[in-house]
Coordinates of all heavy atoms in Angstrom, one line a residue:
Q68 N -14.1 -6.8 -7.2 CA -13.5 -7.5 -8.3 C -12.7 -6.5 -9.1 O -13.1 -5.4 -9.4 CB -14.7 -8.0 -9.3 CG -15.6 -9.0 -8.6 CD -14.8 -10.3 -8.2 OE1 -14.1 -10.9 -9.0 NE2 -15.0 -10.6 -6.9
H69 N -11.5 -6.9 -9.3 CA -10.5 -6.0 -10.0 C -10.1 -6.6 -11.3 O -9.6 -7.7 -11.4 CB -9.3 -5.8 -9.2 CG -9.6 -5.3 -7.8 ND1 -9.9 -4.0 -7.5 CD2 -9.5 -5.9 -6.6 CE1 -10.1 -3.9 -6.2 NE2 -9.9 -5.0 -5.6
G70 N -10.3 -5.9 -12.4 CA -9.9 -6.3 -13.7 C -8.4 -6.2 -13.9 O -7.7 -5.5 -13.1
E71 N -7.9 -6.8 -14.9 CA -6.4 -6.7 -15.2 C -6.2 -5.3 -15.9 O -7.0 -4.9 -16.7 CB -6.0 -7.8 -16.1 CG -6.1 -9.2 -15.5 CD -5.3 -9.3 -14.3 OE1 -4.1 -8.9 -14.2 OE2 -5.7 -10.0 -13.3
E72 N -5.1 -4.7 -15.5 CA -4.8 -3.4 -16.0 C -3.4 -3.4 -16.7 O -2.5 -3.8 -16.0 CB -4.9 -2.3 -14.9 CG -6.2 -2.3 -14.3 CD -6.2 -1.7 -12.9 OE1 -5.2 -1.1 -12.5 OE2 -7.2 -1.8 -12.2
P73 N -3.3 -3.0 -17.9 CA -1.9 -2.9 -18.5 C -1.1 -1.8 -17.8 O -1.7 -0.8 -17.3 CB -2.2 -2.6 -20.0 CG -3.5 -1.9 -20.0 CD -4.3 -2.5 -18.8
S74 N 0.2 -2.0 -17.9 CA 1.1 -0.9 -17.3 C 0.9 0.4 -18.1 O 0.8 0.4 -19.3 CB 2.5 -1.4 -17.3 OG 3.3 -0.4 -16.8
A75 N 0.9 1.4 -17.3 CA 0.8 2.8 -17.9 C 2.2 3.3 -18.3 O 2.3 4.4 -18.9 CB 0.1 3.7 -17.0
A76 N 3.3 2.6 -17.9 CA 4.6 3.2 -18.1 C 5.6 2.1 -18.6 O 5.8 1.1 -17.9 CB 5.1 3.8 -16.8
E77 N 6.1 2.3 -19.7 CA 7.1 1.3 -20.3 C 8.5 1.9 -20.4 O 9.4 1.2 -20.7 CB 6.6 0.8 -21.6 CG 5.3 0.1 -21.6 CD 5.3 -1.2 -20.7 OE1 6.4 -1.8 -20.6 OE2 4.3 -1.5 -20.1
G78 N 8.6 3.2 -20.2 CA 9.9 3.9 -20.4 C 10.9 3.7 -19.2 O 10.6 3.0 -18.3
D79 N 12.0 4.5 -19.3 CA 13.0 4.3 -18.3 C 13.2 5.7 -17.5 O 14.3 5.9 -17.0 CB 14.3 3.8 -18.8 CG 14.9 4.7 -19.9 OD1 14.3 5.7 -20.2 OD2 16.1 4.4 -20.3
T80 N 12.3 6.5 -17.5 CA 12.4 7.8 -16.8 C 12.0 7.5 -15.3 O 11.4 6.5 -15.0 CB 11.5 8.9 -17.4 OG1 10.1 8.5 -17.1 CG2 11.7 9.1 -18.9
T81 N 12.4 8.5 -14.5 CA 12.0 8.4 -13.1 C 10.5 8.4 -13.0 O 10.0 7.6 -12.2 CB 12.5 9.7 -12.3 OG1 13.9 9.7 -12.4 CG2 12.1 9.7 -10.9
R82 N 9.8 9.1 -13.8 CA 8.3 9.1 -13.7 C 7.8 7.7 -14.0 O 6.9 7.2 -13.4 CB 7.8 10.2 -14.7 CG 6.3 10.3 -14.7 CD 5.8 11.4 -15.6 NE 4.4 11.6 -15.5 CZ 3.4 10.8 -16.0 NH1 3.7 9.8 -16.7 NH2 2.1 11.1 -15.8
D83 N 8.3 7.1 -15.1 CA 7.9 5.8 -15.5 C 8.1 4.8 -14.3 O 7.3 3.9 -14.0 CB 8.6 5.3 -16.7 CG 8.2 6.1 -18.0 OD1 7.0 6.5 -18.0 OD2 9.0 6.2 -18.9
H84 N 9.3 4.9 -13.7 CA 9.7 4.0 -12.6 C 8.7 4.2 -11.5 O 8.2 3.2 -10.9 CB 11.1 4.3 -12.2 CG 11.7 3.3 -11.2 ND1 12.3 2.1 -11.7 CD2 11.7 3.3 -9.9 CE1 12.7 1.4 -10.6 NE2 12.4 2.1 -9.5
M85 N 8.4 5.4 -11.1 CA 7.5 5.6 -10.0 C 6.0 5.2 -10.4 O 5.3 4.7 -9.5 CB 7.4 7.1 -9.7 CG 8.7 7.6 -9.1 SD 9.2 6.8 -7.5 CE 10.5 5.8 -8.1
I86 N 5.6 5.3 -11.6 CA 4.3 4.7 -12.0 C 4.3 3.2 -11.8 O 3.3 2.7 -11.3 CB 4.0 5.1 -13.5 CG1 3.7 6.6 -13.6 CG2 2.8 4.3 -14.0 CD1 3.6 7.2 -15.0
R87 N 5.4 2.6 -12.2 CA 5.5 1.1 -12.0 C 5.5 0.8 -10.5 O 4.8 -0.2 -10.1 CB 6.7 0.5 -12.7 CG 6.5 0.5 -14.2 CD 7.5 -0.3 -14.9 NE 8.9 0.3 -14.8 CZ 9.4 1.2 -15.7 NH1 8.6 1.7 -16.6 NH2 10.6 1.6 -15.5
H88 N 6.1 1.6 -9.6 CA 6.0 1.4 -8.2 C 4.6 1.5 -7.7 O 4.1 0.6 -7.0 CB 6.8 2.4 -7.4 CG 8.3 2.1 -7.2 ND1 9.0 2.7 -6.2 CD2 9.1 1.3 -7.9 CE1 10.2 2.3 -6.2 NE2 10.3 1.4 -7.2
H89 N 3.9 2.5 -8.2 CA 2.5 2.7 -7.9 C 1.6 1.6 -8.3 O 0.8 1.1 -7.5 CB 2.0 4.0 -8.4 CG 0.6 4.3 -8.3 ND1 0.0 4.6 -7.0 CD2 -0.5 4.1 -9.1 CE1 -1.3 4.7 -7.2 NE2 -1.6 4.4 -8.4
E90 N 1.8 1.1 -9.5 CA 1.0 0.0 -10.1 C 1.2 -1.3 -9.2 O 0.3 -2.0 -8.9 CB 1.4 -0.3 -11.5 CG 0.9 0.8 -12.5 CD 1.5 0.7 -13.9 OE1 2.4 0.0 -14.1 OE2 1.0 1.4 -14.8
A91 N 2.5 -1.5 -8.9 CA 2.8 -2.7 -8.1 C 2.1 -2.6 -6.7 O 1.5 -3.6 -6.2 CB 4.3 -2.9 -8.0
S92 N 2.3 -1.5 -6.1 CA 1.7 -1.3 -4.7 C 0.1 -1.3 -4.8 O -0.5 -1.9 -3.9 CB 2.2 0.0 -4.1 OG 1.6 1.1 -4.7
E93 N -0.4 -0.9 -5.9 CA -1.9 -1.0 -6.1 C -2.3 -2.5 -6.2 O -3.4 -2.8 -5.6 CB -2.3 -0.3 -7.3 CG -2.5 1.2 -7.2 CD -3.7 1.6 -6.3 OE1 -4.9 1.1 -6.6 OE2 -3.5 2.2 -5.3
Q94 N -1.5 -3.3 -6.8 CA -1.8 -4.7 -6.9 C -1.8 -5.3 -5.5 O -2.7 -6.1 -5.2 CB -0.9 -5.4 -7.8 CG -1.0 -5.1 -9.3 CD -2.4 -5.5 -9.8 OE1 -2.9 -6.6 -9.6 NE2 -2.9 -4.6 -10.6
M95 N -0.8 -5.0 -4.7 CA -0.7 -5.5 -3.4 C -1.9 -5.0 -2.5 O -2.5 -5.8 -1.8 CB 0.6 -5.1 -2.7 CG 1.8 -5.7 -3.4 SD 3.4 -5.1 -2.9 CE 3.5 -5.9 -1.3
W96 N -2.3 -3.7 -2.7 CA -3.4 -3.2 -2.0 C -4.7 -3.9 -2.3 O -5.5 -4.3 -1.5 CB -3.6 -1.7 -2.4 CG -4.9 -1.1 -1.9 CD1 -6.0 -0.8 -2.6 CD2 -5.1 -0.6 -0.6 NE1 -6.9 -0.2 -1.8 CE2 -6.4 -0.1 -0.6 CE3 -4.4 -0.6 0.6 CZ2 -7.0 0.5 0.6 CZ3 -5.0 0.0 1.8 CH2 -6.3 0.5 1.7
K97 N -4.9 -4.1 -3.6 CA -6.1 -4.9 -4.1 C -6.1 -6.3 -3.5 O -7.2 -6.8 -3.2 CB -6.2 -4.8 -5.6 CG -6.6 -3.5 -6.1 CD -6.5 -3.4 -7.7 CE -6.8 -2.0 -8.2 NZ -6.7 -1.9 -9.6
G98 N -4.9 -6.9 -3.5 CA -4.9 -8.2 -2.9 C -5.2 -8.2 -1.4 O -5.8 -9.2 -0.9
L99 N -4.7 -7.2 -0.7 CA -5.0 -7.1 0.7 C -6.4 -6.9 1.0 O -7.0 -7.6 1.9 CB -4.1 -5.9 1.3 CG -4.0 -5.8 2.8 CD1 -3.4 -7.0 3.4 CD2 -3.2 -4.5 3.1
I100 N -7.1 -6.0 0.3 CA -8.5 -5.7 0.6 C -9.5 -6.7 0.1 O -10.6 -6.8 0.6 CB -9.0 -4.3 0.1 CG1 -8.9 -4.2 -1.4 CG2 -8.1 -3.2 0.8 CD1 -9.6 -2.9 -1.9
S101 N -9.0 -7.5 -0.9 CA -9.9 -8.5 -1.4 C -9.6 -9.9 -0.9 O -10.4 -10.9 -1.1 CB -9.9 -8.5 -2.9 OG -8.6 -8.9 -3.4
G102 N -8.5 -10.1 -0.2 CA -8.1 -11.4 0.2 C -7.6 -12.2 -0.9 O -7.6 -13.5 -0.8
D103 N -7.1 -11.6 -2.0 CA -6.7 -12.3 -3.2 C -5.1 -12.4 -3.2 O -4.4 -11.5 -3.5 CB -7.1 -11.5 -4.4 CG -6.8 -12.1 -5.8 OD1 -6.0 -13.1 -5.8 OD2 -7.3 -11.7 -6.8

Side-chain angles (χ1 to χ4, degrees):
Q68 300 298 308
H69 306 285
E71 296 300 319
E72 301 158 13
S74 177
E77 297 298 330
D79 63 354
T80 67
T81 300
R82 182 178 188 281
D83 293 329
H84 190 84
M85 293 299 105
I86 289 171
R87 287 190 294 274
H88 272 204
H89 173 75
E90 291 169 345
S92 70
E93 278 290 304
Q94 291 298 316
M95 293 172 77
W96 170 259
K97 289 173 181 177
L99 190 61
I100 65 169
S101 65
D103 183 346

